[in-house]
Coordinates of all heavy atoms in Angstrom, one line a residue:
M11 N 6.3 0.4 -92.9 CA 5.9 -0.8 -92.2 C 5.6 -0.4 -90.8 O 6.3 0.4 -90.2 CB 7.0 -1.8 -92.2 CG 6.6 -3.1 -91.5 SD 7.9 -4.4 -91.5 CE 8.7 -4.2 -93.1
S12 N 4.5 -0.9 -90.2 CA 4.2 -0.6 -88.8 C 3.6 -1.9 -88.2 O 3.0 -2.7 -88.8 CB 3.2 0.5 -88.7 OG 1.9 0.2 -89.2
M13 N 3.7 -1.9 -86.9 CA 3.2 -3.0 -86.1 C 2.7 -2.5 -84.8 O 3.5 -1.7 -84.2 CB 4.2 -4.1 -85.9 CG 3.7 -5.3 -85.2 SD 4.3 -5.6 -83.6 CE 5.9 -5.0 -83.4
I14 N 1.6 -2.9 -84.4 CA 1.1 -2.5 -83.0 C 0.6 -3.8 -82.4 O -0.1 -4.6 -83.0 CB -0.1 -1.5 -83.1 CG1 0.3 -0.2 -83.9 CG2 -0.7 -1.2 -81.7 CD1 -0.9 0.7 -84.2
Y15 N 1.1 -4.0 -81.2 CA 0.6 -5.2 -80.4 C 0.2 -4.8 -79.1 O 0.5 -3.8 -78.5 CB 1.8 -6.3 -80.4 CG 2.9 -5.8 -79.5 CD1 2.9 -6.2 -78.2 CD2 4.0 -5.1 -80.0 CE1 4.0 -5.7 -77.3 CE2 5.0 -4.6 -79.2 CZ 5.0 -5.0 -77.9 OH 6.0 -4.6 -77.1
K16 N -0.6 -5.7 -78.5 CA -1.1 -5.5 -77.1 C -0.3 -6.5 -76.3 O -0.1 -7.6 -76.6 CB -2.6 -5.8 -77.1 CG -3.2 -5.6 -75.7 CD -4.7 -5.9 -75.8 CE -5.3 -5.7 -74.4 NZ -6.7 -6.0 -74.5
A17 N 0.1 -6.0 -75.1 CA 0.9 -6.9 -74.2 C 0.1 -8.1 -73.8 O -1.1 -8.1 -73.9 CB 1.4 -6.0 -73.0
K18 N 0.8 -9.0 -73.3 CA 0.2 -10.3 -72.8 C -1.0 -10.1 -71.9 O -0.9 -9.3 -71.0 CB 1.3 -11.1 -72.1 CG 0.9 -12.4 -71.5 CD 2.0 -13.2 -71.1 CE 2.3 -12.9 -69.6 NZ 3.2 -13.9 -69.0
H19 N -2.0 -10.8 -72.2 CA -3.2 -10.9 -71.3 C -3.4 -12.4 -71.0 O -3.8 -13.1 -71.8 CB -4.4 -10.3 -72.0 CG -5.7 -10.4 -71.2 ND1 -5.9 -9.7 -70.1 CD2 -6.8 -11.2 -71.4 CE1 -7.1 -10.0 -69.6 NE2 -7.6 -10.9 -70.4
N20 N -3.0 -12.8 -69.8 CA -2.9 -14.2 -69.4 C -2.0 -14.9 -70.4 O -0.8 -14.5 -70.4 CB -4.3 -14.8 -69.4 CG -5.2 -14.2 -68.3 OD1 -4.7 -13.7 -67.3 ND2 -6.5 -14.1 -68.6
D21 N -2.5 -15.9 -71.1 CA -1.6 -16.6 -72.0 C -1.9 -16.3 -73.5 O -1.7 -17.1 -74.3 CB -1.8 -18.1 -71.8 CG -1.2 -18.5 -70.4 OD1 -0.1 -18.0 -70.0 OD2 -1.7 -19.4 -69.8
L22 N -2.5 -15.1 -73.7 CA -2.8 -14.7 -75.1 C -2.0 -13.5 -75.5 O -1.9 -12.5 -74.7 CB -4.3 -14.3 -75.1 CG -4.8 -13.6 -76.4 CD1 -4.7 -14.5 -77.6 CD2 -6.2 -13.1 -76.1
Q23 N -1.3 -13.6 -76.6 CA -0.7 -12.4 -77.2 C -1.6 -12.0 -78.3 O -1.8 -12.7 -79.3 CB 0.7 -12.8 -77.7 CG 1.5 -11.6 -78.3 CD 1.9 -10.6 -77.2 OE1 2.2 -11.0 -76.1 NE2 1.8 -9.3 -77.5
E24 N -2.1 -10.8 -78.2 CA -3.0 -10.2 -79.2 C -2.2 -9.3 -80.1 O -1.7 -8.3 -79.7 CB -4.1 -9.5 -78.5 CG -5.2 -9.0 -79.5 CD -6.3 -8.3 -78.7 OE1 -6.2 -8.1 -77.5 OE2 -7.3 -8.0 -79.4
I25 N -2.2 -9.6 -81.4 CA -1.5 -8.7 -82.3 C -2.6 -7.8 -82.9 O -3.5 -8.3 -83.6 CB -0.8 -9.5 -83.4 CG1 0.2 -10.5 -82.8 CG2 -0.2 -8.6 -84.5 CD1 0.7 -11.5 -83.7
L26 N -2.5 -6.5 -82.6 CA -3.6 -5.6 -83.0 C -3.5 -5.1 -84.4 O -4.5 -5.0 -85.1 CB -3.6 -4.4 -82.0 CG -3.9 -4.8 -80.6 CD1 -3.9 -3.5 -79.8 CD2 -5.2 -5.4 -80.5
Q27 N -2.3 -4.8 -84.9 CA -2.2 -4.3 -86.3 C -0.8 -4.6 -86.8 O 0.2 -4.4 -86.2 CB -2.4 -2.8 -86.2 CG -2.5 -2.2 -87.6 CD -2.8 -0.7 -87.5 OE1 -2.2 0.0 -86.7 NE2 -3.7 -0.3 -88.3
L28 N -0.8 -5.1 -88.0 CA 0.4 -5.4 -88.7 C 0.2 -4.9 -90.1 O -0.6 -5.4 -90.9 CB 0.6 -6.9 -88.7 CG 1.8 -7.5 -89.4 CD1 3.1 -7.0 -88.8 CD2 1.8 -9.0 -89.3
Q29 N 0.9 -3.9 -90.5 CA 0.8 -3.3 -91.8 C 2.2 -3.4 -92.6 O 3.2 -2.9 -92.0 CB 0.3 -1.9 -91.8 CG -1.0 -1.7 -91.2 CD -1.4 -0.3 -91.1 OE1 -0.6 0.6 -91.1 NE2 -2.7 -0.1 -91.0
Y30 N 2.1 -3.8 -93.8 CA 3.3 -3.9 -94.6 C 3.0 -3.7 -96.1 O 3.5 -4.4 -96.9 CB 4.2 -5.1 -94.3 CG 3.4 -6.4 -94.4 CD1 3.4 -7.1 -95.6 CD2 2.6 -6.9 -93.4 CE1 2.7 -8.3 -95.7 CE2 1.9 -8.0 -93.5 CZ 1.9 -8.7 -94.7 OH 1.2 -9.9 -94.8
L31 N 2.1 -2.8 -96.4 CA 1.5 -2.7 -97.7 C 2.6 -2.6 -98.8 O 2.5 -3.1 -99.9 CB 0.6 -1.5 -97.8 CG -0.7 -1.6 -96.9 CD1 -1.5 -0.3 -97.0 CD2 -1.5 -2.8 -97.3
Y32 N 3.6 -1.8 -98.5 CA 4.6 -1.5 -99.5 C 5.7 -2.6 -99.6 O 6.6 -2.4 -100.4 CB 5.2 -0.1 -99.3 CG 4.2 1.0 -99.3 CD1 3.8 1.6 -98.2 CD2 3.6 1.3 -100.5 CE1 2.8 2.6 -98.2 CE2 2.7 2.3 -100.6 CZ 2.3 3.0 -99.4 OH 1.3 3.9 -99.4
Y33 N 5.6 -3.6 -98.8 CA 6.6 -4.6 -98.7 C 6.1 -6.0 -99.0 O 6.7 -7.0 -98.6 CB 7.2 -4.6 -97.3 CG 7.8 -3.2 -96.9 CD1 7.1 -2.3 -96.2 CD2 9.1 -2.9 -97.3 CE1 7.6 -1.1 -95.9 CE2 9.7 -1.7 -97.0 CZ 8.9 -0.8 -96.3 OH 9.4 0.4 -96.0
R34 N 5.1 -6.1 -99.8 CA 4.5 -7.4 -100.1 C 5.5 -8.2 -101.0 O 6.3 -7.7 -101.7 CB 3.2 -7.2 -100.9 CG 2.1 -6.8 -100.0 CD 0.8 -6.9 -100.7 NE -0.3 -6.6 -99.8 CZ -0.9 -7.5 -99.0 NH1 -0.6 -8.7 -99.1 NH2 -1.9 -7.1 -98.2
C35 N 5.4 -9.5 -100.9 CA 6.2 -10.5 -101.7 C 7.7 -10.4 -101.4 O 8.5 -10.8 -102.2 CB 5.9 -10.3 -103.1 SG 4.1 -10.5 -103.6
K36 N 8.1 -9.9 -100.2 CA 9.5 -9.9 -99.9 C 9.7 -10.7 -98.6 O 10.8 -10.6 -98.0 CB 10.0 -8.5 -99.7 CG 9.9 -7.7 -101.1 CD 10.4 -6.3 -100.9 CE 10.0 -5.5 -102.1 NZ 11.1 -5.1 -102.9
S37 N 8.7 -11.4 -98.1 CA 8.8 -12.2 -96.9 C 8.9 -11.4 -95.6 O 9.2 -11.9 -94.5 CB 9.9 -13.2 -96.9 OG 9.7 -14.1 -98.0
Y38 N 8.7 -10.1 -95.7 CA 8.8 -9.2 -94.5 C 7.7 -9.6 -93.5 O 7.9 -9.6 -92.3 CB 8.8 -7.7 -94.8 CG 10.0 -7.2 -95.6 CD1 9.8 -6.3 -96.6 CD2 11.3 -7.7 -95.3 CE1 10.9 -5.8 -97.3 CE2 12.3 -7.2 -96.0 CZ 12.2 -6.3 -97.0 OH 13.3 -5.8 -97.7
G39 N 6.5 -9.8 -94.0 CA 5.4 -10.1 -93.1 C 5.6 -11.4 -92.3 O 5.4 -11.5 -91.1
T40 N 6.1 -12.4 -93.0 CA 6.5 -13.7 -92.4 C 7.5 -13.5 -91.4 O 7.4 -14.0 -90.3 CB 6.9 -14.7 -93.5 OG1 5.9 -14.8 -94.5 CG2 7.3 -16.0 -92.9
R41 N 8.6 -12.8 -91.7 CA 9.7 -12.6 -90.8 C 9.3 -11.8 -89.6 O 9.7 -12.1 -88.4 CB 10.9 -12.0 -91.5 CG 11.5 -13.0 -92.4 CD 12.8 -12.5 -92.9 NE 12.5 -11.5 -94.0 CZ 13.5 -10.8 -94.7 NH1 14.7 -11.1 -94.5 NH2 13.1 -9.9 -95.6
L42 N 8.5 -10.8 -89.8 CA 8.0 -9.9 -88.7 C 7.1 -10.7 -87.8 O 7.3 -10.6 -86.5 CB 7.3 -8.7 -89.3 CG 6.8 -7.7 -88.2 CD1 7.9 -7.1 -87.4 CD2 6.1 -6.5 -89.0
L43 N 6.2 -11.5 -88.3 CA 5.3 -12.2 -87.4 C 6.1 -13.3 -86.7 O 5.9 -13.5 -85.5 CB 4.2 -12.9 -88.3 CG 3.0 -13.5 -87.6 CD1 2.4 -12.5 -86.7 CD2 2.0 -14.0 -88.6
A44 N 7.1 -13.9 -87.3 CA 7.9 -14.9 -86.6 C 8.7 -14.2 -85.5 O 8.9 -14.8 -84.4 CB 8.9 -15.5 -87.6
E45 N 9.2 -13.0 -85.7 CA 9.9 -12.3 -84.6 C 9.0 -11.9 -83.5 O 9.4 -12.0 -82.3 CB 10.6 -11.0 -85.2 CG 11.8 -11.3 -86.1 CD 12.9 -12.0 -85.3 OE1 13.3 -11.5 -84.2 OE2 13.4 -13.0 -85.8
I46 N 7.8 -11.5 -83.8 CA 6.8 -11.2 -82.7 C 6.6 -12.4 -81.8 O 6.6 -12.4 -80.6 CB 5.5 -10.7 -83.3 CG1 5.6 -9.4 -84.0 CG2 4.4 -10.7 -82.2 CD1 4.4 -9.0 -84.8
E47 N 6.4 -13.6 -82.5 CA 6.2 -14.8 -81.8 C 7.4 -15.2 -81.0 O 7.3 -15.8 -79.9 CB 5.7 -15.9 -82.7 CG 4.4 -15.7 -83.3 CD 4.0 -16.6 -84.4 OE1 4.8 -17.6 -84.7 OE2 2.9 -16.5 -85.0
H48 N 8.6 -14.9 -81.5 CA 9.8 -15.3 -80.8 C 10.1 -14.4 -79.6 O 10.4 -14.9 -78.5 CB 11.0 -15.1 -81.8 CG 12.4 -15.3 -81.1 ND1 12.8 -16.6 -80.8 CD2 13.3 -14.4 -80.7 CE1 14.0 -16.4 -80.2 NE2 14.3 -15.1 -80.2
Y49 N 9.9 -13.1 -79.7 CA 10.1 -12.2 -78.6 C 9.0 -12.1 -77.6 O 9.2 -11.6 -76.4 CB 10.4 -10.8 -79.1 CG 11.8 -10.7 -79.7 CD1 12.1 -10.8 -81.0 CD2 12.9 -10.7 -78.8 CE1 13.3 -10.7 -81.5 CE2 14.2 -10.6 -79.3 CZ 14.4 -10.7 -80.7 OH 15.7 -10.6 -81.2
F50 N 7.8 -12.6 -77.9 CA 6.6 -12.6 -77.0 C 6.0 -14.0 -77.0 O 4.9 -14.2 -77.5 CB 5.6 -11.5 -77.5 CG 6.2 -10.1 -77.5 CD1 6.6 -9.6 -78.7 CD2 6.3 -9.4 -76.4 CE1 7.1 -8.3 -78.8 CE2 6.8 -8.1 -76.4 CZ 7.2 -7.6 -77.6
P51 N 6.8 -14.9 -76.5 CA 6.2 -16.3 -76.5 C 5.0 -16.4 -75.6 O 5.0 -16.0 -74.5 CB 7.4 -17.1 -75.9 CG 8.3 -16.2 -75.2 CD 8.1 -14.8 -75.8
Q52 N 4.0 -17.0 -76.2 CA 2.7 -17.2 -75.5 C 2.2 -18.6 -75.9 O 2.6 -19.2 -76.9 CB 1.7 -16.2 -76.0 CG 2.1 -14.8 -75.7 CD 2.2 -14.5 -74.2 OE1 1.4 -14.9 -73.4 NE2 3.3 -13.8 -73.9
K53 N 1.2 -19.1 -75.2 CA 0.5 -20.3 -75.5 C -0.5 -20.1 -76.6 O -0.8 -21.1 -77.3 CB -0.2 -20.9 -74.3 CG 0.7 -21.3 -73.2 CD 0.0 -21.8 -72.0 CE 0.9 -22.2 -70.9 NZ 0.2 -22.7 -69.7
R54 N -0.9 -18.9 -76.8 CA -1.9 -18.6 -77.9 C -1.7 -17.2 -78.4 O -1.5 -16.3 -77.7 CB -3.3 -18.8 -77.3 CG -4.5 -18.5 -78.2 CD -5.8 -18.9 -77.6 NE -6.9 -18.6 -78.5 CZ -7.7 -17.6 -78.5 NH1 -7.5 -16.6 -77.6 NH2 -8.6 -17.4 -79.4
Y55 N -1.9 -17.2 -79.8 CA -1.8 -15.9 -80.5 C -3.2 -15.7 -81.2 O -3.7 -16.7 -81.7 CB -0.7 -15.8 -81.5 CG 0.7 -15.9 -80.9 CD1 1.3 -17.2 -80.7 CD2 1.4 -14.8 -80.5 CE1 2.5 -17.3 -80.1 CE2 2.6 -14.9 -80.0 CZ 3.2 -16.1 -79.8 OH 4.4 -16.3 -79.2
E56 N -3.6 -14.5 -81.3 CA -4.9 -14.2 -82.0 C -4.8 -13.0 -82.8 O -4.1 -12.0 -82.4 CB -6.0 -14.0 -80.9 CG -7.4 -13.8 -81.5 CD -8.4 -13.6 -80.4 OE1 -8.4 -14.4 -79.4 OE2 -9.3 -12.8 -80.6
L57 N -5.4 -13.0 -84.0 CA -5.4 -11.9 -84.9 C -6.6 -11.9 -85.7 O -7.4 -12.9 -85.7 CB -4.1 -11.8 -85.8 CG -3.8 -13.1 -86.6 CD1 -4.6 -13.2 -87.9 CD2 -2.3 -13.1 -86.9
F58 N -6.9 -10.9 -86.4 CA -8.0 -10.9 -87.3 C -7.7 -10.1 -88.6 O -6.8 -9.3 -88.6 CB -9.3 -10.4 -86.7 CG -9.4 -8.9 -86.5 CD1 -10.0 -8.1 -87.5 CD2 -8.8 -8.2 -85.4 CE1 -10.1 -6.7 -87.3 CE2 -8.9 -6.9 -85.3 CZ -9.5 -6.1 -86.2
T59 N -8.4 -10.4 -89.6 CA -8.3 -9.7 -90.9 C -9.7 -9.8 -91.6 O -10.6 -10.3 -91.0 CB -7.2 -10.4 -91.8 OG1 -6.9 -9.6 -92.9 CG2 -7.5 -11.8 -92.2
S60 N -9.8 -9.3 -92.8 CA -11.1 -9.4 -93.4 C -11.0 -10.4 -94.6 O -9.9 -10.8 -95.1 CB -11.5 -8.0 -94.0 OG -10.7 -7.7 -95.2
T61 N -12.2 -10.8 -95.1 CA -12.2 -11.7 -96.2 C -11.7 -11.1 -97.5 O -11.4 -11.8 -98.4 CB -13.7 -12.2 -96.4 OG1 -14.5 -11.1 -96.5 CG2 -14.1 -13.1 -95.3
R62 N -11.6 -9.8 -97.5 CA -11.0 -9.1 -98.7 C -9.5 -9.3 -98.7 O -8.8 -9.1 -99.8 CB -11.3 -7.6 -98.6 CG -12.7 -7.3 -98.8 CD -12.9 -5.8 -98.8 NE -14.3 -5.5 -98.9 CZ -14.8 -4.3 -98.5 NH1 -14.1 -3.4 -98.1 NH2 -16.1 -4.1 -98.6
S63 N -8.9 -9.7 -97.6 CA -7.4 -9.8 -97.5 C -7.0 -11.3 -97.7 O -6.4 -11.9 -96.8 CB -6.9 -9.3 -96.2 OG -7.3 -8.0 -96.0
K64 N -7.2 -11.8 -98.8 CA -7.0 -13.3 -99.1 C -5.5 -13.6 -98.9 O -5.1 -14.6 -98.5 CB -7.5 -13.7 -100.5 CG -9.0 -13.5 -100.6 CD -9.5 -14.1 -101.9 CE -10.9 -13.9 -102.1 NZ -11.8 -14.2 -101.1
D65 N -4.6 -12.6 -99.4 CA -3.2 -12.9 -99.2 C -2.8 -12.9 -97.7 O -1.9 -13.7 -97.3 CB -2.4 -11.7 -99.9 CG -2.4 -11.8 -101.4 OD1 -2.8 -12.9 -101.9 OD2 -2.1 -10.8 -102.0
N66 N -3.4 -12.1 -96.9 CA -3.1 -12.1 -95.5 C -3.6 -13.5 -94.9 O -2.8 -14.1 -94.0 CB -3.8 -11.0 -94.7 CG -3.2 -9.6 -95.1 OD1 -2.2 -9.6 -95.8 ND2 -3.9 -8.6 -94.6
I67 N -4.7 -13.9 -95.2 CA -5.3 -15.2 -94.7 C -4.3 -16.3 -95.1 O -3.9 -17.1 -94.2 CB -6.7 -15.5 -95.2 CG1 -7.7 -14.4 -94.6 CG2 -7.1 -16.9 -94.9 CD1 -9.1 -14.5 -95.2
C68 N -3.8 -16.3 -96.3 CA -2.9 -17.3 -96.8 C -1.6 -17.3 -96.0 O -1.0 -18.3 -95.5 CB -2.6 -17.1 -98.2 SG -1.6 -18.4 -99.0
L69 N -1.1 -16.0 -95.8 CA 0.2 -15.9 -95.0 C 0.0 -16.4 -93.6 O 0.8 -17.2 -93.1 CB 0.5 -14.4 -94.9 CG 1.6 -14.0 -93.8 CD1 2.9 -14.5 -94.2 CD2 1.6 -12.5 -93.6
Y70 N -1.1 -16.0 -92.9 CA -1.3 -16.5 -91.5 C -1.5 -18.0 -91.5 O -1.0 -18.6 -90.5 CB -2.5 -15.8 -90.9 CG -2.4 -14.3 -90.9 CD1 -3.5 -13.4 -91.2 CD2 -1.2 -13.7 -90.6 CE1 -3.3 -12.0 -91.1 CE2 -1.0 -12.3 -90.6 CZ -2.1 -11.5 -90.8 OH -1.9 -10.1 -90.8
Q71 N -2.2 -18.6 -92.4 CA -2.4 -20.0 -92.4 C -1.0 -20.7 -92.6 O -0.8 -21.8 -92.0 CB -3.4 -20.5 -93.5 CG -4.8 -20.1 -93.1 CD -5.8 -20.4 -94.2 OE1 -5.5 -20.3 -95.4 NE2 -7.0 -20.8 -93.8
N72 N -0.2 -20.2 -93.5 CA 1.2 -20.7 -93.7 C 2.0 -20.6 -92.4 O 2.9 -21.4 -92.2 CB 1.9 -20.1 -94.9 CG 1.3 -20.5 -96.2 OD1 0.7 -21.5 -96.3 ND2 1.5 -19.6 -97.2
M73 N 1.7 -19.7 -91.6 CA 2.4 -19.5 -90.3 C 1.8 -20.3 -89.2 O 2.2 -20.2 -88.0 CB 2.4 -18.0 -89.9 CG 3.2 -17.1 -90.8 SD 5.0 -17.3 -90.8 CE 5.3 -16.8 -89.1
G74 N 0.7 -21.1 -89.5 CA 0.2 -22.0 -88.5 C -1.1 -21.5 -87.8 O -1.6 -22.1 -86.9
Y75 N -1.6 -20.4 -88.3 CA -2.9 -19.8 -87.7 C -4.1 -20.5 -88.4 O -4.0 -20.9 -89.5 CB -3.0 -18.3 -87.9 CG -2.0 -17.5 -87.1 CD1 -0.7 -17.4 -87.4 CD2 -2.5 -16.9 -85.9 CE1 0.2 -16.7 -86.5 CE2 -1.6 -16.2 -85.1 CZ -0.3 -16.1 -85.4 OH 0.5 -15.4 -84.6
K76 N -5.1 -20.7 -87.6 CA -6.3 -21.4 -88.0 C -7.5 -20.4 -87.8 O -7.6 -19.8 -86.7 CB -6.5 -22.7 -87.4 CG -5.4 -23.7 -87.7 CD -5.8 -25.1 -87.1 CE -4.6 -26.0 -87.2 NZ -4.1 -26.2 -88.5
I77 N -8.5 -20.4 -88.7 CA -9.7 -19.6 -88.5 C -10.5 -20.3 -87.4 O -10.8 -21.5 -87.5 CB -10.5 -19.6 -89.8 CG1 -9.7 -18.8 -90.9 CG2 -11.8 -18.9 -89.6 CD1 -10.2 -18.8 -92.3
F78 N -11.0 -19.5 -86.4 CA -11.8 -20.0 -85.4 C -13.2 -19.3 -85.3 O -14.1 -19.7 -84.7 CB -11.2 -20.0 -84.0 CG -11.0 -18.7 -83.4 CD1 -12.0 -18.1 -82.6 CD2 -9.8 -17.9 -83.6 CE1 -11.8 -16.9 -82.0 CE2 -9.7 -16.7 -83.1 CZ -10.6 -16.2 -82.2
D79 N -13.3 -18.2 -86.0 CA -14.6 -17.4 -86.0 C -14.6 -16.4 -87.2 O -13.5 -16.1 -87.7 CB -14.7 -16.7 -84.7 CG -16.2 -16.2 -84.4 OD1 -17.1 -16.6 -85.2 OD2 -16.3 -15.5 -83.5
S80 N -15.8 -16.0 -87.5 CA -15.9 -14.9 -88.5 C -17.2 -14.2 -88.2 O -18.1 -14.8 -87.7 CB -15.9 -15.5 -89.9 OG -17.1 -16.3 -90.2
K81 N -17.2 -12.9 -88.5 CA -18.4 -12.1 -88.2 C -18.6 -11.2 -89.4 O -17.7 -10.5 -89.9 CB -18.1 -11.3 -87.0 CG -18.1 -12.1 -85.7 CD -18.0 -11.3 -84.5 CE -17.9 -12.3 -83.3 NZ -17.5 -11.7 -82.1
A82 N -19.9 -11.1 -89.8 CA -20.2 -10.2 -90.9 C -20.3 -8.8 -90.5 O -20.8 -8.5 -89.4 CB -21.6 -10.7 -91.5
V83 N -19.6 -7.9 -91.2 CA -19.6 -6.5 -91.0 C -20.8 -5.9 -91.8 O -21.5 -5.1 -91.3 CB -18.3 -5.9 -91.4 CG1 -18.4 -4.4 -91.3 CG2 -17.2 -6.4 -90.6
N84 N -20.9 -6.3 -93.0 CA -22.0 -6.0 -93.9 C -22.2 -7.1 -94.9 O -21.5 -8.1 -94.8 CB -21.9 -4.6 -94.5 CG -20.6 -4.4 -95.3 OD1 -20.2 -5.3 -96.0 ND2 -19.9 -3.3 -95.1
N85 N -23.0 -6.8 -96.0 CA -23.2 -7.9 -97.0 C -21.9 -8.2 -97.8 O -21.9 -9.3 -98.4 CB -24.3 -7.4 -98.0 CG -25.6 -7.4 -97.3 OD1 -25.9 -8.1 -96.3 ND2 -26.6 -6.7 -97.9
E86 N -21.0 -7.3 -97.8 CA -19.8 -7.5 -98.6 C -18.5 -7.8 -97.8 O -17.5 -8.1 -98.4 CB -19.5 -6.2 -99.5 CG -20.7 -5.9 -100.4 CD -20.5 -4.6 -101.1 OE1 -19.4 -4.0 -100.9 OE2 -21.4 -4.1 -101.7
L87 N -18.6 -7.7 -96.5 CA -17.3 -7.8 -95.7 C -17.5 -8.7 -94.5 O -18.5 -8.5 -93.8 CB -16.8 -6.4 -95.3 CG -15.6 -6.3 -94.5 CD1 -14.4 -6.8 -95.3 CD2 -15.4 -4.9 -94.0
Q88 N -16.6 -9.5 -94.2 CA -16.6 -10.3 -93.0 C -15.2 -10.2 -92.4 O -14.2 -10.1 -93.1 CB -16.8 -11.8 -93.3 CG -18.2 -12.2 -93.5 CD -18.3 -13.7 -93.5 OE1 -17.4 -14.4 -93.9 NE2 -19.4 -14.2 -93.0
F89 N -15.2 -10.1 -91.0 CA -13.9 -10.3 -90.3 C -13.7 -11.7 -90.0 O -14.6 -12.5 -89.7 CB -13.9 -9.5 -89.0 CG -13.8 -8.0 -89.1 CD1 -14.5 -7.2 -88.3 CD2 -13.0 -7.4 -90.1 CE1 -14.4 -5.8 -88.4 CE2 -12.9 -6.1 -90.3 CZ -13.6 -5.2 -89.4
V90 N -12.4 -12.1 -90.2 CA -12.0 -13.5 -90.0 C -11.1 -13.5 -88.8 O -10.1 -12.8 -88.8 CB -11.3 -14.1 -91.2 CG1 -10.8 -15.5 -90.9 CG2 -12.2 -14.1 -92.4
Y91 N -11.4 -14.3 -87.7 CA -10.6 -14.3 -86.5 C -9.7 -15.6 -86.6 O -10.3 -16.7 -86.8 CB -11.5 -14.3 -85.3 CG -12.2 -13.0 -85.2 CD1 -13.4 -12.8 -85.8 CD2 -11.7 -11.9 -84.5 CE1 -14.1 -11.6 -85.8 CE2 -12.3 -10.7 -84.4 CZ -13.5 -10.5 -85.1 OH -14.2 -9.3 -85.0
M92 N -8.5 -15.5 -86.3 CA -7.5 -16.6 -86.4 C -6.7 -16.7 -85.2 O -6.5 -15.7 -84.5 CB -6.6 -16.4 -87.6 CG -7.4 -16.2 -88.9 SD -6.3 -15.9 -90.4 CE -5.8 -17.6 -90.7
E93 N -6.3 -18.0 -84.9 CA -5.5 -18.2 -83.7 C -4.4 -19.2 -84.0 O -4.5 -20.0 -84.9 CB -6.4 -18.7 -82.5 CG -6.9 -20.1 -82.8 CD -7.8 -20.6 -81.7 OE1 -7.9 -20.0 -80.6 OE2 -8.4 -21.7 -81.9
K94 N -3.4 -19.1 -83.2 CA -2.3 -20.1 -83.2 C -2.0 -20.6 -81.8 O -1.8 -19.8 -80.9 CB -1.0 -19.5 -83.8 CG 0.1 -20.4 -84.0 CD 1.3 -19.7 -84.7 CE 2.4 -20.6 -84.9 NZ 3.6 -19.9 -85.5
L95 N -2.1 -21.9 -81.6 CA -1.9 -22.4 -80.3 C -0.5 -23.0 -80.2 O 0.1 -23.4 -81.1 CB -2.9 -23.6 -80.0 CG -4.4 -23.1 -80.2 CD1 -5.3 -24.3 -80.0 CD2 -4.7 -22.1 -79.1

């Protein structure tokens, strides 16, 4: 499991990378994201994932994140940008 975050920039906490491939379906992602939000309280959090990561999108939506933008990378892939206010 690994996590990389960027320190506060104004009132935005940007989570750069959250990987837990070998720990799926054990609530580790939910707990880790909740801990990040607890220890780095901000008015706004932002993250992104791809449309291929449907489980990640579902996790983030269950945690209160909403899609605010998407950008096509190619014909088969889009990045989905999500925020939590």
Side-chain angles (χ1 to χ4, degrees):
M11 183 179 322
S12 68
M13 184 252 328
I14 300 171
Y15 68 92
K16 182 178 179 182
K18 177 170 92 166
H19 176 68
N20 295 328
D21 291 323
L22 168 68
Q23 182 68 39
E24 183 178 10
I25 301 165
L26 298 178
Q27 186 176 48
L28 177 62
Q29 296 179 341
Y30 53 96
L31 296 176
Y32 300 106
Y33 300 96
R34 288 190 174 271
C35 302
K36 297 182 190 246
S37 299
Y38 293 142
T40 301
R41 290 189 285 183
L42 182 57
L43 195 53
E45 288 296 312
I46 292 168
E47 293 173 359
H48 174 76
Y49 284 103
F50 302 99
Q52 301 297 317
K53 293 181 181 176
R54 181 173 180 258
Y55 297 88
E56 182 178 319
L57 52 80
F58 76 95
T59 189
S60 77
T61 51
R62 291 182 186 162
S63 302
K64 296 186 187 311
D65 290 342
N66 291 353
I67 293 171
C68 184
L69 165 70
Y70 300 142
Q71 287 175 327
N72 288 339
M73 296 287 297
Y75 287 78
K76 298 187 187 306
I77 296 171
F78 72 90
D79 197 9
S80 64
K81 294 185 181 169
V83 175
N84 56 41
N85 290 339
E86 300 174 6
L87 179 66
Q88 279 191 329
F89 285 145
V90 177
Y91 297 87
M92 305 180 78
E93 67 181 353
K94 182 176 182 179
L95 303 174

